Amino acid sequence: MTLARSLPDEASEWWIFLGTFVVYACGRWFFAWRQARREGDSHPVRAALAEEDDPAATHAALTGGFRSYRQFFGFVASGIAVVLVATFTGGRLRVALLWITIPLLVIALSYLDFRQARKARSSA
């Protein structure tokens, strides 16, 4: 079977995979910064970066992956959207749509994870 993809052979392809993690982390930090700013914290950047040091927030973020149906269906719908775009488009249109949809979907998933972690912190 020749349709199966292997791991990337070129360094440029690895940067694309690493870029999705960077977009996710930046999205989480942005949402934490915005929350700290709304709450009137004097140093919202420090509060956003300190969120990762909070054991309750880290535990909620690590184990909260599919604790809610919104997160699960968001993950599944994102995967379906990427597969549909990759299947039914080609050439420059495929590249353009994937460069637009994938970052938006990753940001949406980071927001759902941020909300789950915030909800777990507020109930603890």
Side-chain angles (χ1 to χ4, degrees):
M1 205 160 195
T2 60
L3 296 177
R5 273 192 60 107
S6 64
L7 290 174
D9 294 332
E10 298 178 17
S12 63
E13 294 176 4
W14 280 106
W15 285 112
I16 294 170
F17 287 122
L18 292 175
T20 58
F21 292 116
V22 170
V23 168
Y24 177 84
C26 289
R28 283 290 303 263
W29 287 328
F30 172 75
F31 295 129
W33 169 78
R34 191 178 70 170
Q35 180 70 25
R37 196 170 143 209
R38 282 185 182 170
E39 292 174 353
D41 197 338
S42 61
H43 299 287
V45 174
R46 288 183 193 165
L49 295 175
E51 180 189 49
E52 302 301 321
D53 296 334
D54 184 16
T58 306
H59 179 69
L62 291 176
T63 62
F66 293 132
R67 203 178 285 179
S68 73
Y69 287 111
R70 288 181 185 161
Q71 288 177 320
F72 175 72
F73 288 125
F75 184 79
V76 170
S78 296
I80 290 171
V82 169
V83 167
L84 287 175
V85 167
T87 302
F88 293 120
T89 60
R92 292 182 186 170
L93 179 63
R94 176 187 291 172
V95 172
L97 286 176
L98 288 176
W99 274 97
I100 292 169
T101 57
I102 290 175
L104 291 176
L105 293 172
V106 169
I107 292 293
L109 289 175
S110 71
Y111 180 71
L112 288 174
D113 287 344
F114 167 74
R115 284 188 50 189
Q116 185 72 23
R118 183 178 65 182
K119 185 175 160 184
R121 272 194 314 274
S122 67
S123 66

